[in-house]
Amino acid sequence: MPYERESSDRQSSEREFIVEADGGSRGNPGPAGYGSVVIDAATGETLAEAAEYIGVATNNVAEYKGLVAGLKAAHQLDPAASVHVRMDSKLVVEQMSGRWKIKHPDMKPLAAEAAAVYPSSRVTYEWIPRAQNKHADRLANEAMDAGKRGERWSPSGSTAELDARAAQAAAEPSEPVGPPGDAGRPGDAVAGAARVRAGLAATRAGAGAGAGADTGTSTGAGAGADTSTGARTGVGAHEVDGADARAARSAAVPPVGWAAPADLGAPATFVLLRHGETPLTPEKRFSGSGGSDPSLSDVGRAQAERAAAAFAARGTIQAVVSSPLRRCQETARIVAARLGLDVHLDEDLRETDFGAWEGLTFGEVRERGPQELNAWLASPDAAPPGGESFAAVADRVAAARDRLAAAYAGRTVLLVTHVTPIKTLVRLALGAPPESLFRMELAAASVSAVAYYADGNASVRLLNDTSHLR
């Protein structure tokens, strides 16, 4: 059983609790832990904390375990209470709210366990930004740090609540950065740079997979992506300290070019490989994460082999991370086998869920629902029926970026993913508006590259290179 700290307030009258939960993995999968907090909705008092090191697991498993622990802690306080769950994991929130399908076999039993704690009528779910989930995030990192020492997390030694409040006070409040209508979203290059800076700084300071090195609460983030925040592969990049929170809200852009310091060291370089062709690719059909999950075609496998040969000749790839969808895993395994590397999966690198549009052509979608299509083209917040908006994708992809940039600081990692995640990473690196997604071309098995420096700057080095296919 995880250790918990509870207040003496155990009144049995009907109450409302807020449960904040998070989890992280330093490696995704890697050493993992979770943290959760039960708060009295009326007073804001922390009633219970739970944290535990859970061994080697993925970010998403850790997040779900944090949710289960938080709900059980609330249930022990008052089985008749109403509970409002707040998490920065878009995946968990959407799945537990019933809007996204639960496909991964490791997630299904955990989701069922969480759903069984309280009647569904008594539990609501809300996604919150990583910066608003610091308490649970710090608990998760404390648990992972304790596990690394061969110890169990102890409430008597926890400073998570004090640290979270201090960080919140230091960050309060300034005007949000970013263009009108896009405030708070990771399309803001300055805010995104600050989050990456926090993760890389923690890694360089030797925090290892600790809270600050965690990539987002999702380093797995995926974020992230998500994803998708992550400790996820290094829980901590989503945990921005007071100075970085202020920097993220200020209008000052980090120095670039010759004005930047010379001792930044090697960047974390993402080599972005779009998967090879599937039978749907030449037909230009919507093929996201909510459809048939097609395999590579013969053409797609040949493309992956050519990409593998090119990467082997260059000899620069040090790790391979893939979207969990079949077409990416197949592409990644072909490349990884040639390079002698393992393939790690990150849920936040999956393609957009196109909902009811999956398997349709653009023309077929326009015939069936022109108003819905026009709304989607006009706003990143609009989603296909039953699907996912580009704004939601940007949230989890930014989480994955933060996580992975911290986990692979100074190294070159191959990310095998899809059109939307790659375009989103390029867009965020450039600080470009959401509509730029429609102004980039990415061929099947094309290569792009973005480098992330320790000062928070990003540099787009390559886009849509297909020379290895010719």
Side-chain angles (χ1 to χ4, degrees):
M1 291 292 293
Y3 284 95
E4 296 181 3
R5 184 195 75 187
E6 298 183 2
S7 76
S8 59
D9 182 1
R10 287 181 170 271
Q11 301 172 5
S12 59
S13 58
E14 183 173 343
R15 300 152 72 186
E16 181 180 353
F17 295 142
I18 296 171
V19 169
E20 295 179 348
D22 200 4
S25 169
R26 296 166 179 176
N28 200 33
Y34 67 73
S36 52
V37 188
V38 182
I39 301 167
D40 189 312
T43 66
E45 177 190 1
T46 296
L47 303 178
E49 290 176 323
E52 185 179 16
Y53 172 71
I54 59 173
V56 175
T58 65
N59 294 323
N60 295 144
V61 166
E63 290 164 346
Y64 262 110
K65 284 185 174 288
L67 169 62
V68 171
L71 290 172
K72 288 183 174 179
H75 191 270
Q76 289 179 353
L77 291 169
D78 190 343
S82 297
V83 180
H84 183 62
V85 176
R86 292 158 43 94
M87 298 181 68
D88 61 58
S89 171
K90 188 76 171 176
L91 177 75
V92 175
V93 168
E94 294 298 314
Q95 288 181 342
M96 292 303 299
S97 299
R99 292 186 289 269
W100 289 3
K101 296 178 182 178
I102 303 174
K103 300 179 180 179
H104 198 287
D106 291 344
M107 305 296 111
K108 291 181 179 180
L110 291 171
E113 185 178 2
V117 178
Y118 277 98
S120 60
S121 60
R122 289 188 172 273
V123 184
T124 56
Y125 290 87
E126 176 190 4
W127 176 86
I128 58 174
R130 296 184 296 277
Q132 295 180 23
N133 203 27
K134 291 181 182 294
H135 191 164
D137 174 69
R138 290 175 190 266
L139 285 170
N141 280 284
E142 285 185 351
M144 285 185 283
D145 291 341
K148 185 177 182 180
R149 298 190 300 268
E151 303 171 356
R152 297 185 69 182
W153 176 82
S154 172
S156 62
S158 176
T159 62
E161 182 174 11
L162 293 175
D163 291 346
R165 289 186 178 182
Q168 181 180 2
E172 302 222 326
S174 283
E175 292 299 319
V177 179
D182 202 30
R185 213 179 278 145
D188 168 17
V190 178
R195 286 196 297 274
V196 174
R197 182 160 60 253
L200 294 180
T203 301
R204 291 180 150 234
D214 215 328
T215 276
T217 283
S218 238
T219 262
D226 230 202
T227 212
S228 311
T229 310
R232 296 163 202 175
T233 285
V235 176
H238 72 260
E239 170 185 291
V240 182
D241 64 21
D244 274 306
R246 288 191 294 273
R249 291 180 174 87
S250 83
V253 177
V256 296
W258 292 356
D263 59 349
L264 296 178
T269 301
F270 292 179
V271 177
L272 308 170
L273 174 64
R274 185 189 170 196
H275 61 80
E277 278 192 13
T278 75
L280 299 181
T281 306
E283 298 178 6
K284 297 188 180 299
R285 295 185 179 276
F286 283 94
S287 182
S289 58
S292 60
D293 195 11
S295 297
L296 294 178
S297 63
D298 290 341
V299 171
R301 281 185 284 274
Q303 290 171 332
E305 292 286 358
R306 292 191 183 97
F311 292 132
R314 294 170 189 165
T316 56
I317 301 298
Q318 297 168 285
V320 179
V321 180
S322 173
S323 156
L325 298 185
R326 186 177 294 122
R327 52 198 183 271
C328 283
Q329 288 200 54
E330 291 176 355
T331 302
R333 286 176 182 144
I334 290 172
V335 175
R338 184 71 175 265
L339 301 179
L341 298 172
D342 295 327
V343 176
H344 302 280
L345 302 184
D346 192 314
E347 288 284 339
D348 287 336
L349 294 180
R350 68 190 184 277
E351 181 58 284
T352 307
D353 184 345
F354 291 112
W357 297 350
E358 294 279 0
L360 301 180
T361 66
F362 191 87
E364 289 169 341
V365 170
R366 183 170 291 284
E367 288 180 5
R368 299 184 186 194
Q371 293 181 337
E372 293 168 339
L373 179 62
N374 289 338
W376 179 70
L377 294 171
S379 172
D381 296 306
E388 185 181 20
S389 70
F390 282 149
V393 175
D395 286 338
R396 61 174 166 83
V397 169
R401 170 202 62 193
D402 293 350
R403 260 197 317 282
L404 296 172
Y408 295 100
R411 302 170 66 193
T412 299
V413 55
L414 177 69
L415 306 188
V416 184
T417 180
H418 309 264
V419 168
T420 310
I422 294 173
K423 288 184 177 182
T424 298
L425 287 168
V426 171
R427 176 178 83 78
L428 297 181
L430 295 173
E435 54 267 29
S436 63
L437 292 178
F438 298 108
R439 298 172 185 171
M440 287 182 263
E441 176 70 21
L442 287 178
S446 64
V447 177
S448 303
V450 181
Y452 299 92
Y453 290 88
D455 67 343
N457 279 298
S459 173
V460 176
R461 297 186 169 184
L462 191 67
L463 181 67
N464 195 37
D465 178 26
T466 58
S467 59
H468 55 285
L469 301 178
R470 297 194 287 271

